[in-house]
Amino acid sequence: MQRNSLKLWVAAGLSAGLLELPLPIAGPLPVWRSLFAWFGLVPLLWAILSPATTEGPCPLRRGFLLAYLCGVLWYCGNCYWIRDTMMRYGDMPAIAPVLLLIGFSLVLGLYFGVFGLGVMLMRRVTGSARLALVIAPFLWTALELAAARITSVPWDQLGYSQVDNGLVSQLAPWTGVYGISFVLVVVNTLLTGGVVLARGKSKGLWAVAGVLLAAVGTAGTFMSVPKPPGPATAVLVQPNLDVGGDNEWAAPGEWDLHIAQFTQLAGEQCKTYIAGIPLTGAATGEIVCPPYATHPELVVWPEAPSPFFEGDPRFQQAMVKIAQSVQAPLIVGGLAADYSAEENEWRDYNAAIVVAADGGRVGRYDKIHLVPFGEYVPFQRLLFFAHKLTGKVSRFTPGEERKVFRLNGHRYGIFICYEAVFADEVRQFSQLGAEVLVNISDDGWYGDTSAPWQHLNMARMRAIENRRWLLRDTNNGVTSVIDPYGRVRQSIARHEIDALPANYGFRDDVTFYTAHGDVFAWGCVILSLGAVGWSLRVSLRRVLQQKPGHKS
């Protein structure tokens, strides 16, 4: 009995490891690793539905704990970079970043635990492993939506593993990334059914269906996608500033040197770029010559630790000169402040400042979805001790309005850094009419971990969901242009001071997901709540019937 119990916990840990593999771990994701997503949940589902769990003592608790272990291990492995980031920039005692990572994983691992509990509850109430497996994809998808809406950490959802799958990724314009996760869990449940169901014809059918669907799905990895033309060009500047060091612009003359460098990079034309995702540090791609005669359609400066304050006259004058020099509008990551008469205080914003080609101010977008414990401390009165977590990071006020800017006759939607992971928020820019999406980010906080690559893949999914070109400009990489099918068409090496003349295009069609958002995921929530509510009602009725005076 003890040996069987150990097998269950090992299986839960094995699922955690298998589910790590189809997502970036230390660099760009090799395409073949996406295959593990099609069967990575099988060991966990087997452990939850095995006789040792379902027929043993406290099966509901056992089902929860098995899945919870899997979740905690998965978050510790997938988000290990939290420890690295906080160790370098959090201004914390040495042990604190480790404890923070563990605490983070213990909290978010609860989603896995609830998944295991729900599957086991359905199994106990109905007595059917089949029904438990049927509800699993709906429950998993519902919990992914909960992670986005409740704890606001929808990081590396299962569907992102198929961002390079030309077949399966076609679900994203309809269901968002949630539909892809749903299909993956469906295949996992079919394969599990081939293992845990009692002998018979149905067991074989489940196994065959799972294998066939997995084979068709994985074949999509090798499927080519359309290659739309990119008639326009934007210059994406990558300054590679040190996010944790002293102000590089403070010494006498440094401001002028950096602005001269900005001007020079903004004027980049023919140069070498990487055709696709940068797998090495060297620019080993093709020569790109922009299709413009005198100037690009746009120049972008990323979210970066540069002292660009919207109200600073020196900054304003510099932007006028650069815009007029390159004869193109600018999107510049910087800081902004407004005085609130109601609060009688100044409010600081992480902003994208938009400048016209003649140097005139067009407007700005204030980042709405801030990073908890990075750009603000949630529940400050309750978490009064947490100020050390943001010892080297400013405290910002969230913006209040999503905006679309018209430049050179086309509409651009801009979102900043962490906002790229929120599908339902990014799609609103396209819904407002954006023909191009621009994502400025500073992934330098992550260092040389998996996080920049994970972040890139999530941004790529936003391009697919909305069928929009996405210009992604970062402080130190991965700076790239992404086409409407999620393919990285051009990029430049990380950790280099460089600029990318990025070819892109415009689209104004609206996908189902752009128009309606998370309808599919909400449908999974409703069905899951209905199933769980019915199960609880049946369980309560059974408990009442077992009281004295009732026959069990």
Side-chain angles (χ1 to χ4, degrees), residues 92-413:
M92 304 167 67
I95 192 62
V98 177
L99 297 177
L100 180 64
L101 173 60
I102 294 173
F104 171 88
S105 302
L106 288 171
V107 171
L108 293 182
L110 290 170
Y111 289 114
F112 278 69
V114 172
F115 171 74
L117 179 63
V119 171
M120 176 55 71
L121 180 63
M122 183 61 63
R123 171 67 177 81
R124 290 285 292 175
V125 169
T126 65
S128 171
R130 291 177 180 84
L131 290 178
L133 290 171
V134 166
I135 197 63
F138 297 93
L139 185 58
W140 182 279
T141 306
L143 289 168
E144 283 196 342
L145 183 66
R149 300 303 180 98
I150 298 175
T151 49
S152 290
V153 188
W155 192 267
D156 257 2
Q157 294 164 325
L158 187 59
Y160 289 117
S161 65
Q162 305 305 307
V163 70
D164 286 304
N165 190 313
L167 176 62
V168 180
S169 65
Q170 292 187 41
L171 284 171
W174 296 92
T175 64
V177 68
Y178 299 104
I180 302 175
S181 295
F182 181 87
V183 168
L184 291 170
V185 180
V186 165
V187 173
N188 274 270
T189 58
L190 289 171
L191 294 175
T192 304
V195 177
V196 304
L197 296 181
R199 291 182 179 181
K201 187 178 295 184
S202 65
K203 178 175 181 176
L205 289 176
W206 279 63
V208 170
V211 170
L212 287 176
L213 281 177
V216 172
T218 54
T221 304
F222 308 100
M223 173 180 169
S224 62
V225 297
K227 191 173 182 180
T233 301
V235 177
L236 310 180
V237 177
Q238 181 175 287
N240 195 37
L241 300 176
D242 182 6
V243 299
D246 296 328
N247 193 333
E248 298 180 12
W249 302 57
E254 285 296 313
W255 171 275
D256 292 334
L257 288 175
H258 281 290
I259 293 299
Q261 185 181 66
F262 185 177
T263 305
Q264 179 263 321
L265 291 171
E268 289 278 9
Q269 293 192 20
C270 290
K271 66 174 299 175
T272 301
Y273 72 92
I274 298 169
I277 300 175
L279 299 177
T280 65
T284 57
E286 306 171 16
I287 300 294
V288 58
C289 290
Y292 57 81
T294 56
H295 58 82
E297 278 75 14
L298 182 68
V299 173
V300 186
W301 177 273
E303 179 191 40
S306 46
F308 288 166
F309 299 95
E310 185 191 36
D312 182 357
R314 185 171 60 165
F315 166 72
Q316 296 171 358
Q317 294 170 10
M319 294 306 105
V320 169
K321 290 181 179 179
I322 293 173
Q324 293 178 347
S325 171
V326 298
Q327 301 178 56
L330 310 177
I331 294 176
V332 181
L335 304 177
D338 289 334
Y339 181 74
S340 171
E342 182 179 340
E343 300 290 336
N344 191 31
E345 65 179 9
W346 284 92
R347 292 179 173 178
D348 297 323
Y349 299 93
N350 185 352
I353 301 158
V354 184
V355 181
D358 62 2
R361 182 183 185 277
V362 176
R364 79 171 196 245
Y365 166 71
D366 299 328
K367 185 177 182 181
I368 295 174
H369 210 125
L370 302 176
V371 180
F373 302 108
E375 294 173 319
Y376 79 105
V377 178
F379 312 110
Q380 290 191 41
R381 292 184 179 179
L382 177 64
L383 303 177
F384 60 90
F385 56 86
H387 68 280
K388 285 190 175 182
L389 299 182
T390 54
K392 296 182 181 179
V393 183
S394 298
R395 294 169 176 82
F396 293 111
T397 300
E400 298 178 350
E401 181 183 1
R402 290 185 175 83
K403 300 177 181 179
V404 171
F405 300 92
R406 181 174 286 275
L407 302 170
N408 294 330
H410 293 283
R411 298 181 297 273
Y412 292 78

Side-chain angles (χ1 to χ4, degrees), residues 389-513:
L389 299 182
T390 54
K392 296 182 181 179
V393 183
S394 298
R395 294 169 176 82
F396 293 111
T397 300
E400 298 178 350
E401 181 183 1
R402 290 185 175 83
K403 300 177 181 179
V404 171
F405 300 92
R406 181 174 286 275
L407 302 170
N408 294 330
H410 293 283
R411 298 181 297 273
Y412 292 78
I414 309 166
F415 52 100
I416 302 175
C417 196
Y418 186 58
E419 292 181 312
V421 310
F422 296 96
D424 188 62
E425 296 179 15
V426 172
R427 63 117 189 155
Q428 294 178 43
F429 292 103
S430 297
Q431 191 180 41
L432 290 170
E435 301 167 75
V436 183
L437 297 175
V438 180
N439 176 213
I440 61 173
S441 185
D442 184 0
D443 290 356
W445 295 100
Y446 302 137
D448 287 318
T449 66
S450 62
W453 307 102
Q454 295 170 353
H455 206 187
L456 171 66
N457 279 357
M458 288 182 270
R460 293 172 62 194
M461 190 62 73
R462 304 292 85 83
I464 300 172
E465 290 164 344
N466 298 282
R467 286 292 188 241
R468 289 292 186 272
W469 287 86
L470 194 155
L471 305 175
R472 189 165 191 271
D473 189 21
T474 70
N475 174 31
N476 67 349
V478 181
T479 296
S480 53
V481 56
I482 302 165
D483 73 19
Y485 296 89
R487 294 296 187 261
V488 176
R489 297 280 287 271
Q490 301 160 220
S491 61
I492 50 179
R494 298 191 72 222
H495 304 303
E496 298 287 342
I497 299 174
D498 206 347
L500 175 66
N503 296 336
Y504 69 102
F506 305 97
R507 289 185 63 158
D508 59 6
D509 53 320
V510 176
T511 68
F512 182 87
Y513 184 77

